[in-house]
Amino acid sequence: MSGDSTASEGLSTSILAPHSSEPHAAGSASRLNWLRAGVLGANDGIVSVAGIVVGVAAATIERGPILTAGVAGLVAGAVSMALGEYVSVSTQRDSERALLAAERRELAEEPEAELAELAAIYQAKGLTAATALAVAEELTAGDAFAAHAEAELGIDPDDLTNPWHAALSSALSFTLGALLPLLAIVVAAVSLRVPVTVIAVLIALALTGALGARLGGAAPARATGRVVIGGALAMVVTYAIGRAVGIAV
């Protein structure tokens, strides 16, 4: 009997304790999403500004035009990223608030129908009708609004995304990424500007690609390869265009 008891306790512990590598908490998943967005923003900054400064460097050896174009690209890109993120998240937040308001109204006007709907959701997930109803009743007794928001809408009413936070995060990540090619091409000697910048950018893209893949649970080699090849292609194209324009002028 003691062996059975120990096994039972072990089973109970394994059921109750989530795997440490799995983001069961909504906050953990949200943080991972923010990290992935930050990596992607930095990646955009690296590629965008690298393309600009390499293209201008192909047309002129003067540091002033290269720096001016790079700074302009950095500022324009950061503002564009921030504005796009703010508008996108604001629209999403407005939609979520409208859905939550409708759900709150339905709970006030038709509580029995909402309870049946919640039970049906859990029954569709594999619970028996009796168990699903018991779960729905217990959740409703605790916090009916939160239970329905999570089960029906997939929304945590206490953790809506802040559009200002999203905008600032996007602008900051883009800026940090854009500073790398800008500093590399300005600091390097004239004859080494393009090679130094290309090498620095490809290394940075390999790192961000690997990090992004790790955060997203994807295969690092494939994700890194895509990012590096895409960045290299962007620099080749802008360099060729800058060279052609410089010769024509």
Side-chain angles (χ1 to χ4, degrees), residues 205-228:
L205 289 177
L207 293 174
T208 59
L211 179 57
R214 182 178 179 82
L215 292 172
R222 182 179 299 178
T224 301
R226 284 197 298 260
V227 172
V228 171

mmCIF file of all heavy atoms in Angstrom, residues 205-228:
data_model
loop_
_atom_site.group_PDB
_atom_site.id
_atom_site.type_symbol
_atom_site.label_atom_id
_atom_site.label_comp_id
_atom_site.label_asym_id
_atom_site.label_seq_id
_atom_site.Cartn_x
_atom_site.Cartn_y
_atom_site.Cartn_z
ATOM 1 N N LEU A 205 22.937 39.572 -38.055
ATOM 2 C CA LEU A 205 21.734 38.902 -38.548
ATOM 3 C C LEU A 205 21.727 37.423 -38.158
ATOM 4 O O LEU A 205 20.671 36.860 -37.858
ATOM 5 C CB LEU A 205 21.641 39.038 -40.068
ATOM 6 C CG LEU A 205 21.301 40.432 -40.595
ATOM 7 C CD1 LEU A 205 21.315 40.438 -42.118
ATOM 8 C CD2 LEU A 205 19.947 40.898 -40.080
ATOM 9 N N ALA A 206 22.909 36.807 -38.168
ATOM 10 C CA ALA A 206 22.989 35.406 -37.742
ATOM 11 C C ALA A 206 22.584 35.267 -36.279
ATOM 12 O O ALA A 206 21.858 34.336 -35.905
ATOM 13 C CB ALA A 206 24.405 34.877 -37.965
ATOM 14 N N LEU A 207 23.027 36.212 -35.460
ATOM 15 C CA LEU A 207 22.696 36.171 -34.029
ATOM 16 C C LEU A 207 21.201 36.410 -33.804
ATOM 17 O O LEU A 207 20.558 35.692 -33.043
ATOM 18 C CB LEU A 207 23.523 37.205 -33.264
ATOM 19 C CG LEU A 207 25.033 36.943 -33.209
ATOM 20 C CD1 LEU A 207 25.757 38.113 -32.549
ATOM 21 C CD2 LEU A 207 25.315 35.652 -32.437
ATOM 22 N N THR A 208 20.649 37.440 -34.457
ATOM 23 C CA THR A 208 19.217 37.726 -34.270
ATOM 24 C C THR A 208 18.348 36.622 -34.853
ATOM 25 O O THR A 208 17.302 36.279 -34.306
ATOM 26 C CB THR A 208 18.826 39.074 -34.903
ATOM 27 O OG1 THR A 208 19.128 39.043 -36.317
ATOM 28 C CG2 THR A 208 19.565 40.222 -34.252
ATOM 29 N N GLY A 209 18.797 36.043 -35.968
ATOM 30 C CA GLY A 209 18.041 34.941 -36.562
ATOM 31 C C GLY A 209 18.010 33.730 -35.650
ATOM 32 O O GLY A 209 16.969 33.099 -35.463
ATOM 33 N N ALA A 210 19.162 33.408 -35.058
ATOM 34 C CA ALA A 210 19.228 32.267 -34.137
ATOM 35 C C ALA A 210 18.400 32.523 -32.886
ATOM 36 O O ALA A 210 17.690 31.633 -32.394
ATOM 37 C CB ALA A 210 20.682 31.991 -33.763
ATOM 38 N N LEU A 211 18.471 33.757 -32.362
ATOM 39 C CA LEU A 211 17.697 34.097 -31.170
ATOM 40 C C LEU A 211 16.206 34.053 -31.458
ATOM 41 O O LEU A 211 15.414 33.531 -30.663
ATOM 42 C CB LEU A 211 18.097 35.484 -30.664
ATOM 43 C CG LEU A 211 17.365 36.003 -29.424
ATOM 44 C CD1 LEU A 211 17.530 35.040 -28.262
ATOM 45 C CD2 LEU A 211 17.858 37.395 -29.051
ATOM 46 N N GLY A 212 15.808 34.618 -32.602
ATOM 47 C CA GLY A 212 14.394 34.592 -32.969
ATOM 48 C C GLY A 212 13.877 33.172 -33.130
ATOM 49 O O GLY A 212 12.763 32.855 -32.720
ATOM 50 N N ALA A 213 14.690 32.307 -33.731
ATOM 51 C CA ALA A 213 14.289 30.909 -33.906
ATOM 52 C C ALA A 213 14.153 30.219 -32.561
ATOM 53 O O ALA A 213 13.226 29.446 -32.334
ATOM 54 C CB ALA A 213 15.315 30.186 -34.773
ATOM 55 N N ARG A 214 15.081 30.491 -31.663
ATOM 56 C CA ARG A 214 15.035 29.879 -30.328
ATOM 57 C C ARG A 214 13.783 30.311 -29.577
ATOM 58 O O ARG A 214 13.109 29.494 -28.947
ATOM 59 C CB ARG A 214 16.283 30.254 -29.534
ATOM 60 C CG ARG A 214 16.350 29.627 -28.149
ATOM 61 C CD ARG A 214 17.637 29.990 -27.438
ATOM 62 N NE ARG A 214 17.699 29.419 -26.106
ATOM 63 C CZ ARG A 214 18.057 28.177 -25.828
ATOM 64 N NH1 ARG A 214 18.396 27.362 -26.809
ATOM 65 N NH2 ARG A 214 18.093 27.726 -24.580
ATOM 66 N N LEU A 215 13.462 31.594 -29.638
ATOM 67 C CA LEU A 215 12.267 32.096 -28.951
ATOM 68 C C LEU A 215 10.990 31.539 -29.561
ATOM 69 O O LEU A 215 9.998 31.306 -28.862
ATOM 70 C CB LEU A 215 12.239 33.623 -28.998
ATOM 71 C CG LEU A 215 13.316 34.347 -28.190
ATOM 72 C CD1 LEU A 215 13.294 35.837 -28.481
ATOM 73 C CD2 LEU A 215 13.137 34.098 -26.699
ATOM 74 N N GLY A 216 11.010 31.315 -30.872
ATOM 75 C CA GLY A 216 9.822 30.807 -31.546
ATOM 76 C C GLY A 216 9.752 29.299 -31.611
ATOM 77 O O GLY A 216 8.778 28.745 -32.116
ATOM 78 N N GLY A 217 10.808 28.611 -31.128
ATOM 79 C CA GLY A 217 10.807 27.157 -31.146
ATOM 80 C C GLY A 217 11.035 26.570 -32.524
ATOM 81 O O GLY A 217 10.683 25.417 -32.784
ATOM 82 N N ALA A 218 11.630 27.360 -33.452
ATOM 83 C CA ALA A 218 11.874 26.878 -34.812
ATOM 84 C C ALA A 218 13.291 26.334 -34.938
ATOM 85 O O ALA A 218 14.119 26.493 -34.043
ATOM 86 C CB ALA A 218 11.655 28.021 -35.806
ATOM 87 N N ALA A 219 13.563 25.714 -36.085
ATOM 88 C CA ALA A 219 14.905 25.185 -36.350
ATOM 89 C C ALA A 219 15.863 26.346 -36.572
ATOM 90 O O ALA A 219 15.665 27.150 -37.474
ATOM 91 C CB ALA A 219 14.875 24.292 -37.588
ATOM 92 N N PRO A 220 16.912 26.487 -35.744
ATOM 93 C CA PRO A 220 17.793 27.658 -35.830
ATOM 94 C C PRO A 220 18.527 27.786 -37.151
ATOM 95 O O PRO A 220 18.666 28.885 -37.687
ATOM 96 C CB PRO A 220 18.784 27.474 -34.682
ATOM 97 C CG PRO A 220 18.469 26.193 -34.032
ATOM 98 C CD PRO A 220 17.273 25.583 -34.674
ATOM 99 N N ALA A 221 19.002 26.673 -37.717
ATOM 100 C CA ALA A 221 19.794 26.741 -38.951
ATOM 101 C C ALA A 221 18.980 27.322 -40.100
ATOM 102 O O ALA A 221 19.434 28.216 -40.815
ATOM 103 C CB ALA A 221 20.310 25.352 -39.313
ATOM 104 N N ARG A 222 17.768 26.835 -40.269
ATOM 105 C CA ARG A 222 16.940 27.295 -41.374
ATOM 106 C C ARG A 222 16.537 28.758 -41.200
ATOM 107 O O ARG A 222 16.627 29.557 -42.138
ATOM 108 C CB ARG A 222 15.684 26.424 -41.479
ATOM 109 C CG ARG A 222 14.765 26.792 -42.638
ATOM 110 C CD ARG A 222 13.563 25.867 -42.700
ATOM 111 N NE ARG A 222 13.977 24.493 -42.912
ATOM 112 C CZ ARG A 222 13.125 23.467 -42.961
ATOM 113 N NH1 ARG A 222 11.829 23.669 -42.786
ATOM 114 N NH2 ARG A 222 13.571 22.240 -43.177
ATOM 115 N N ALA A 223 16.113 29.115 -39.984
ATOM 116 C CA ALA A 223 15.691 30.500 -39.729
ATOM 117 C C ALA A 223 16.865 31.463 -39.887
ATOM 118 O O ALA A 223 16.731 32.543 -40.486
ATOM 119 C CB ALA A 223 15.110 30.612 -38.326
ATOM 120 N N THR A 224 18.024 31.081 -39.364
ATOM 121 C CA THR A 224 19.209 31.928 -39.469
ATOM 122 C C THR A 224 19.628 32.089 -40.922
ATOM 123 O O THR A 224 19.985 33.186 -41.367
ATOM 124 C CB THR A 224 20.365 31.339 -38.651
ATOM 125 O OG1 THR A 224 19.957 31.221 -37.277
ATOM 126 C CG2 THR A 224 21.600 32.215 -38.728
ATOM 127 N N GLY A 225 19.588 31.003 -41.668
ATOM 128 C CA GLY A 225 19.958 31.052 -43.082
ATOM 129 C C GLY A 225 19.077 32.003 -43.867
ATOM 130 O O GLY A 225 19.566 32.781 -44.695
ATOM 131 N N ARG A 226 17.771 31.962 -43.599
ATOM 132 C CA ARG A 226 16.852 32.865 -44.304
ATOM 133 C C ARG A 226 17.185 34.317 -44.032
ATOM 134 O O ARG A 226 17.206 35.151 -44.941
ATOM 135 C CB ARG A 226 15.402 32.566 -43.890
ATOM 136 C CG ARG A 226 14.806 31.330 -44.513
ATOM 137 C CD ARG A 226 13.294 31.342 -44.377
ATOM 138 N NE ARG A 226 12.900 31.324 -42.969
ATOM 139 C CZ ARG A 226 12.501 30.233 -42.328
ATOM 140 N NH1 ARG A 226 12.485 29.072 -42.948
ATOM 141 N NH2 ARG A 226 12.140 30.296 -41.070
ATOM 142 N N VAL A 227 17.422 34.626 -42.762
ATOM 143 C CA VAL A 227 17.698 36.012 -42.373
ATOM 144 C C VAL A 227 19.006 36.503 -42.979
ATOM 145 O O VAL A 227 19.080 37.611 -43.524
ATOM 146 C CB VAL A 227 17.737 36.136 -40.836
ATOM 147 C CG1 VAL A 227 18.211 37.519 -40.426
ATOM 148 C CG2 VAL A 227 16.365 35.856 -40.241
ATOM 149 N N VAL A 228 20.042 35.685 -42.898
ATOM 150 C CA VAL A 228 21.358 36.089 -43.422
ATOM 151 C C VAL A 228 21.318 36.244 -44.936
ATOM 152 O O VAL A 228 21.839 37.239 -45.486
ATOM 153 C CB VAL A 228 22.427 35.052 -43.014
ATOM 154 C CG1 VAL A 228 23.745 35.329 -43.735
ATOM 155 C CG2 VAL A 228 22.634 35.081 -41.500
#
